[in-house]
C-alpha cells in the first residue's frame, strides 16, 4: 500500500529532524526512501511553502516529493490527490496527524495513520533494516549502516511512549 505523507506534519515527530533546519525536507526524503526500499512500498510526500522557482515535484526512487506553492497547503494537495484517486484511494495510506486530512482520508476510504505512529514504524524499520514482502539478504542494512543513520538523525531510544 503506497503512502501519501504530510511532510511538515511528520518532520517534528522524527528524532533528529527539525522544521527550522535548512535541509529538513531532504533528510525526511532520505529516510522515507530507505523505508520504502526496505518495505517495498512507494510514497508521495507533500511539503507546503515551496519557494518560487523550485520544481513542483521531484522523484527519488520510490519516493515522489511534491512541493506546494504559496496559496495552497500540503493538506489541500493531499485532499485533492485523494479525490483524483477516486475508488483507488482505498489502496493508499495517508500519514498525517491533522484532523482534517484524517477525515478526508477516511471519507475517501483510504487508511489513515498518525504522524506519530508512522514515525515509530519508520524508526523501527530503519533500525532493524529488515526487508519485507519477500526480500532477500541483498536488501538488508548492515549494523554499521544503522549506526550511521542513528548518528545522522538521532537515536529512537528517547522517543515518547505510545499513548
Amino acid at each position: 500500500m503506497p503512502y501519501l505523507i504530510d511532510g511538515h506534519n511528520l518532520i517534528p515527530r522524527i528524532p533528529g529532524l527539525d522544521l527550522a533546519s535548512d535541509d529538513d525536507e531532504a533528510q525526511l526524503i532520505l529516510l522515507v526512501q530507505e523505508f520504502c526500499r526496505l518495505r517495498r512500498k512507494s510514497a508521495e510526500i507533500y511539503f507546503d511553502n515551496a519557494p518560487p522557482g523550485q520544481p513542483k515535484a521531484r522523484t527519488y526512487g520510490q519516493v515522489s516529493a511534491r512541493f506546494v506553492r504559496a496559496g495552497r497547503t500540503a493538506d489541500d494537495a493531499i485532499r485533492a490527490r485523494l479525490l483524483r484517486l477516486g475508488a483507488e484511494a482505498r489502496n493508499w495510506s495517508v500519514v498525517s496527524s491533522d484532523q482534517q486530512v484524517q477525515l478526508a482520508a477516511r471519507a475517501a476510504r483510504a487508511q489513515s495513520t498518525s504522524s506519530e505512529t508512522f514515525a515509530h514504524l519508520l524508526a523501527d524499520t530503519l533500525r532493524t533494516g529488515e526487508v519485507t514482502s519477500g526480500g532477500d539478504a541483498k536488501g538488508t542494512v548492515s549494523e554499521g549502516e544503522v549506526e550511521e543513520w542513528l548518528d545522522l538523525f538521532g537515536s529512537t531510544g528517547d522517543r515518547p511512549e505510545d499513548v
Side-chain angles (χ1 to χ4, degrees):
M1 177 171 295
Y3 294 93
L4 294 176
I5 299 173
D6 185 347
H8 287 145
N9 189 267
L10 178 59
I11 287 171
R13 275 79 173 183
I14 298 177
L17 296 188
D18 185 350
L19 286 171
S21 173
D22 289 338
D23 64 346
D24 60 336
E25 294 165 351
Q27 289 179 17
L28 179 63
I29 291 166
L30 284 172
L31 292 172
V32 174
Q33 234 182 335
E34 182 65 5
F35 171 85
C36 287
R37 183 186 73 79
L38 292 168
R39 289 279 180 151
R40 301 192 188 268
K41 303 287 184 186
S42 62
E44 295 178 14
I45 307 175
Y46 290 81
F47 298 105
D48 33 28
N49 300 318
Q54 181 169 341
K56 289 182 182 178
R58 290 187 191 152
T59 302
Y60 305 88
Q62 293 296 92
V63 176
S64 175
R66 311 271 182 198
F67 301 95
V68 182
R69 302 268 189 259
R72 277 184 82 203
T73 65
D75 298 356
D76 295 335
I78 291 170
R79 285 191 292 268
R81 178 70 168 123
L82 288 167
L83 287 173
R84 285 192 309 277
L85 286 169
E88 288 300 311
R90 71 179 183 274
N91 299 319
W92 288 72
S93 182
V94 177
V95 177
S96 179
S97 290
D98 182 280
Q99 289 184 346
Q100 295 301 315
V101 174
Q102 289 176 346
L103 285 172
R106 285 192 287 277
R109 307 263 192 272
Q111 288 192 1
S112 179
T113 303
S114 72
S115 293
E116 293 83 3
T117 299
F118 185 80
H120 291 261
L121 176 63
L122 178 85
D124 291 345
T125 299
L126 296 178
R127 187 178 61 254
T128 62
E130 293 178 11
V131 177
T132 59
S133 302
D136 57 23
K138 288 192 285 186
T140 60
V141 177
S142 72
E143 190 171 272
E145 289 172 310
V146 171
E147 291 303 319
E148 181 180 344
W149 278 99
L150 291 174
D151 288 341
L152 286 170
F153 300 108
S155 172
T156 59
D158 55 0
R159 69 177 185 221
E161 294 298 317
D162 289 333
V163 177

